[in-house]
Amino acid sequence: MASHSDTLVVFFGATAGANGGKLGSDERELILLVWQIVDLHENKVGKLHRTLVQPDSVDLSEQCKEETGLTAEELCKAEPLESVLQQFHQSVSAELKSLGRSSYTLCVDGPLLIRQVLHPEASKKNLVLPECFYTFVDLKKEFHKCCPNAGPVKDLTLLSMLDYVCIQATVEQEAGLREVKDMVLLILHVLADPYNHKFSAFETVNYKFESGACKTEAVDSETVIRARGLPWQSSDQDIARFFKGLNIAKGGVALCLNAQGRRNGEALVRFINSEHRDMALDRHKHHMGSRYIEVYKATGEEFLKIAGGTSNEVAQFLSKENQMIIRMRGLPFTATPQDVLGFLGPECPVTDGTEGLLFVKYPDGRPTGDAFVLFACEEYAQNALKKHKQILGKRYIELFRSTAAEVQQVLNRYMSTPLISTLPPPPPPMVSVPVLATPPFITTGNTRDCIRLRGLPYTAAIEDILEFMGEHTIDIKPHGVHMVLNQQGRPSGDAFIQMKSADRAFMVAQKCHKKMMKDRYVEVFQCSTEEMSFVLMGGTLNRSGLSPPPCKLPCLSPPTYAAFPAAPAMLPTEAALYQPPLLATPRTPQAPTHSPAPAFAYYSPQLYMNMNMSYTTYYPSPPVSPSTVSYFAAPPGSVAAAVAAQPTPAILPPQPGALVRMQGLPYNAGVKDILSFFQGYQLNPEDYSSLVGVSDQGRSFIQPKEWLCL
């Protein structure tokens, strides 16, 4: 069998949209293929072939019409891509046989035709490409090897290469034929004296994505991108298919999880080099099904933060290559490896038996109810997924596709989770603590000592805001910068900053309004703390005034600053520092021992943060997971009684520690259904309307008369 370097097939194509250096950047289909064989051993050329390809849409761009001279009528008479590729393979095979050759390698003018057009289009149309399309020679790189002074590879064109070796370009009117003839002339010239070039740098396209654990060595930031807008159910293989034609590094797809552990529609992808990364960026807003995917640059640190940090246990589990990973959720805490193997059954055998199981545990060794399972092939994984929501013991089990990066993220999150039992011990009660002048949490007020930044770049960080503020940063209160996120957890382009005084806020608004930040001008407005709190709680601030926030938890950037309205009066001193235990049953309120003292706050700042910490947000769960309840610590009975004794406003403001969040409610659930669920807890029937708020997303917030924790 002849070696690959004995025969080249010079290959050229054009699409219905952009061509040249932008080939494939607009997802347009192939409409033209031209090829010609070059026998490198004999320096002979074969017959020149030109074939039209019928696209699914014959809408041609003006650039395409001008460069190719093709019309929609001509393309309607052509064969579809699958038939044209068969004709190509048969034609080349027959011609090779007549030359006494048995193998060949494609030669293209740059990698775009193969990587950015042919492979992505074949993947979308579910076509199986012949093996010859997985190996090719880049004429530009080969020319640069024998003529290194011709300039950088990315700047080379057919005309510039011909000019460098003093060859006159072919005079040809038909598009495609001209380019192929010029490429053949160039190849024959570098094969002869004085170059005597040997074509040896063969590029390959990966047949499939190799999953596996990410190594923790430094990752080049020039090889990483962030894909955003992915379907929730997409796997690492789906993402690899979206980037078909580009070579992703082994284990180079890391699906990102949000604060609740669910996939947030983003992924970090690591390619083998910067060239493939740059081609991936050209797929910005290409489609995965009916969704367009945004593609941005990312850093190696971001990738390692998601996919790195593998423990020895995880590394050993993921050391088995090319395995399908399934995540199991909701396992009984007493479940053993034998129980899981029995649940899966003989139709989906686990790789290496119990060695293919990885149970997720808390730092103290307690089971979490999650486990990851390895399967040797897609068939076994599909059989396992059919057992979704089947019963093991007395619990139904959820099964989801997973990835190596998700295994690492989940294990890392659980092992770094602060346990409820490890909270700092309560300080001695009955200690008077005055209100801090600059508390690290937000208190409401009408003083206009805050500013609002609107129109920030989505990539802006706190450091960028401080640089934007310049000399005025010295007037910012401690912990006074608050980034506003939208409901998807992404930057909204807004931020609030607490200044030391209203005069300082006015001065900043005057000097920084419409100042530039990263090619965007930023609007700066003076506002009050009350207006800031409304927005941070989910409300809107517009020309018509304040729109109250919806009934859901505030969406804040970390560190989380709770944005609750201030209380109408202050509570007793023991409430300031005393942290009660978590309650499993309701407790009768105690009568207040003394009247509220106006000189003290509800809670100390640190305790305020702890009481508003949702421990469930640390624990990852897959998409479409069952309902989750956020847990809050409860204040002492004396505090509850003091609150109950105060007059109730028209709309009861939420108090720290007094809210219970319900998620996963039936959409037809009413107030009576919620109150019957909490039967046994003291609720005042006259205050139903103010105690319960039901949102339109299956969630509810309830504020009982009695302080409790479920």
Side-chain angles (χ1 to χ4, degrees), residues 144-161:
H144 185 265
K145 287 172 61 178
C146 62
C147 302
N149 296 326
V153 174
K154 62 180 181 179
D155 296 335
L156 294 178
T157 64
L158 268 179
L159 291 179
S160 67
M161 290 187 288

Side-chain angles (χ1 to χ4, degrees), residues 206-249:
N206 290 344
Y207 283 93
K208 63 178 181 178
F209 167 67
E210 290 187 63
S211 59
C214 169
K215 297 181 180 180
T216 56
E217 75 270 7
V219 175
D220 185 3
S221 295
E222 297 299 315
T223 64
V224 182
I225 61 95
R226 178 184 295 272
R228 178 179 294 172
L230 300 166
W232 306 112
Q233 70 277 15
S234 59
S235 65
D236 53 353
Q237 297 293 339
D238 297 323
I239 297 170
R241 185 175 181 180
F242 174 79
F243 290 108
K244 184 67 175 176
L246 307 179
N247 293 346
I248 300 175

Side-chain angles (χ1 to χ4, degrees), residues 479-500:
H479 309 281
V481 180
H482 309 281
M483 304 289 289
V484 182
L485 308 181
N486 59 22
Q487 292 301 320
Q488 287 72 41
R490 301 173 185 167
S492 65
D494 281 24
F496 286 92
I497 301 177
Q498 292 176 279
M499 308 300 293
K500 292 182 178 179

Side-chain angles (χ1 to χ4, degrees), residues 503-520:
D503 294 338
R504 300 293 184 184
F506 176 79
M507 184 179 301
V508 174
Q510 292 295 315
K511 291 189 175 182
C512 297
H513 184 56
K514 292 194 175 182
K515 183 179 174 182
M516 300 300 293
M517 179 190 294
K518 295 184 177 181
D519 300 328
R520 295 190 63 172

Side-chain angles (χ1 to χ4, degrees), residues 225-430:
I225 61 95
R226 178 184 295 272
R228 178 179 294 172
L230 300 166
W232 306 112
Q233 70 277 15
S234 59
S235 65
D236 53 353
Q237 297 293 339
D238 297 323
I239 297 170
R241 185 175 181 180
F242 174 79
F243 290 108
K244 184 67 175 176
L246 307 179
N247 293 346
I248 300 175
K250 180 181 178 180
V253 176
L255 295 168
C256 300
L257 306 180
N258 61 17
Q260 287 72 39
R262 300 185 179 96
R263 296 172 187 170
N264 63 3
E266 295 186 5
L268 293 170
V269 185
R270 177 189 179 190
F271 295 92
I272 60 171
N273 56 40
S274 59
E275 180 188 11
H276 289 237
R277 195 284 303 265
D278 292 340
M279 286 188 281
L281 292 173
D282 286 336
R283 299 196 188 184
H284 179 60
K285 292 196 174 182
H286 284 202
H287 289 76
M288 179 185 290
S290 59
R291 299 175 64 101
Y292 71 82
I293 308 301
E294 302 172 33
V295 183
Y296 303 100
K297 291 182 180 180
T299 65
E301 290 78 7
E302 290 177 307
F303 181 82
L304 285 177
K305 184 179 179 181
I306 299 298
T310 307
S311 64
N312 292 333
E313 184 181 18
V314 176
Q316 183 178 359
F317 177 76
L318 297 175
S319 63
K320 305 173 181 65
E321 299 181 357
N322 301 323
Q323 299 289 310
M324 305 293 113
I325 305 176
I326 298 295
R327 181 179 180 182
M328 302 181 70
R329 188 179 189 276
L331 292 169
F333 295 146
T334 58
T336 64
Q338 287 70 28
D339 295 332
V340 175
L341 294 177
F343 171 80
L344 295 172
E347 62 273 15
C348 40
V350 178
T351 302
D352 295 338
T354 56
E355 296 295 323
L357 297 176
L358 178 63
F359 288 88
V360 184
K361 298 180 181 180
Y362 292 109
D364 59 1
R366 292 182 296 114
T368 64
D370 280 28
F372 292 94
V373 189
L374 294 178
F375 296 99
C377 64
E378 179 67 23
E379 180 184 357
Y380 295 160
Q382 288 288 354
N383 292 338
L385 291 173
K386 293 177 182 178
K387 298 181 180 292
H388 180 60
K389 290 196 174 182
Q390 291 189 14
I391 302 298
L392 174 59
K394 295 183 179 180
R395 304 190 62 171
Y396 72 86
I397 311 300
E398 297 177 295
L399 289 94
F400 308 91
R401 286 187 178 275
S402 188
T403 66
E406 188 172 20
V407 174
Q408 296 172 116
Q409 288 184 77
V410 171
L411 267 293
N412 291 342
R413 284 179 182 233
Y414 271 105
M415 293 306 295
S416 61
T417 297
L419 301 177
I420 294 178
S421 59
T422 62
L423 286 173
M430 304 298 291

Side-chain angles (χ1 to χ4, degrees), residues 662 665-679 692:
M662 303 174 67
L665 291 170
Y667 290 110
N668 58 353
V671 173
K672 292 184 179 180
D673 300 318
I674 297 173
L675 294 176
S676 63
F677 179 82
F678 287 101
Q679 186 175 4
V692 180

